[in-house]
């Protein structure tokens, strides 16, 4: 047969078990993370497009410079080199315009990614705040249980004034 103090102490222990932390917006956090990863991928694709255009632009510049060096030769070789130089110069201008459009697209993708990062960070910070509050409450509940058990063991009244 258990004494009243043992029954109360065990009853307190049974009722004071803290539930696991549950973040109600976990699905929102997960979704924001997916959006951020997609935006990061779009930014990487836009940066790769700019890089590709810059490589083609450098190749066109080298080709134009090579043709310019050969343009001073007399005859058909010089005429062909001048024509190629002119064509490559036009190609460079088209690539410059394409690069500007790609850089604008990259900047839009960067801003979209930063927005997604900010959105995800906001929900993650809310989760951390709620977890900290839960952990504090769990610590307080555990301390109250320890104090109740200690008081029951000494036969002293608990915080409510009841002798256990």
């Amino acid at each position: 047969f258990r004494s009243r103090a043992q029954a109360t102490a065990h009853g307190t222990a049974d009722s004071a078990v803290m539930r696991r932390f549950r973040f109600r917006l976990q699905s929102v956090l997960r979704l924001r993370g997916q959006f951020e990863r997609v935006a990061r991928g779009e930014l990487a694709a836009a940066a790769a497009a700019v890089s590709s255009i810059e490589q083609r632009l450098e190749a066109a510049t080298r080709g134009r410079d090579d043709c310019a060096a050969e343009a001073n030769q007399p005859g058909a070789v010089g005429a062909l080199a001048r024509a190629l130089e002119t064509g490559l110069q036009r190609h460079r201008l088209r690539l410059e315009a394409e690069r500007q459009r790609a850089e604008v697209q990259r900047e839009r993708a960067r801003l979209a990614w930063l927005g997604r990062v900010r959105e995800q960070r906001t929900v993650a910070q809310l989760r951390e705040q709620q977890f900290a509050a839960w952990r504090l409450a769990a610590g307080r509940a555990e301390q109250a249980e320890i104090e109740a058990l200690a008081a029951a063991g000494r036969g002293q009244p608990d915080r409510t004034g009841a002798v256990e």
Side-chain angles (χ1 to χ4, degrees):
F1 192 101
R2 293 184 347 188
S3 71
R4 185 169 191 268
Q6 288 174 332
T8 305
H10 291 297
T12 303
D14 291 342
S15 66
V17 172
M18 283 296 290
R19 287 189 234 148
R20 280 182 24 177
F21 174 70
R22 183 173 177 275
F23 183 53
R24 295 180 189 272
L25 298 176
Q26 186 62 40
S27 59
V28 173
L29 181 60
R30 191 173 21 260
L31 187 61
R32 296 276 168 98
Q34 290 172 349
F35 287 157
E36 186 272 334
R37 284 187 293 281
V38 167
R40 186 178 344 134
E42 290 171 355
L43 175 59
V50 170
S51 178
S52 173
I53 293 168
E54 286 176 345
Q55 289 174 355
R56 291 176 16 215
L57 189 59
E58 288 173 12
T61 300
R62 281 192 308 272
R64 185 202 60 195
D65 293 345
D66 291 344
C67 288
E70 298 295 323
N72 295 332
Q73 291 187 6
V77 173
L80 179 60
R82 285 187 293 277
L84 286 173
E85 179 185 12
T86 303
L88 285 170
Q89 182 60 30
R90 279 192 236 125
H91 181 62
R92 278 191 77 257
L93 292 174
R94 285 191 299 270
L95 286 173
E96 284 286 344
E98 189 177 342
R99 181 178 67 176
Q100 287 177 352
R101 287 189 300 272
E103 285 176 344
V104 167
Q105 186 62 33
R106 179 182 60 187
E107 183 60 18
R108 284 184 188 145
R110 187 184 73 80
L111 292 174
W113 172 72
L114 287 174
R116 295 299 187 182
V117 166
R118 215 173 6 261
E119 290 169 357
Q120 182 189 17
R121 192 175 300 140
T122 300
V123 178
Q125 286 174 344
L126 178 62
R127 183 191 187 286
E128 291 303 315
Q129 289 171 356
Q130 288 182 4
F131 181 72
W134 173 85
R135 194 170 47 209
L136 183 63
R140 286 180 180 157
E142 183 179 340
Q143 185 62 37
E145 181 180 346
I146 290 170
E147 289 173 4
L149 289 172
R154 291 188 307 263
Q156 296 178 352
D158 62 7
R159 288 187 178 184
T160 62
V163 176
E164 297 182 358

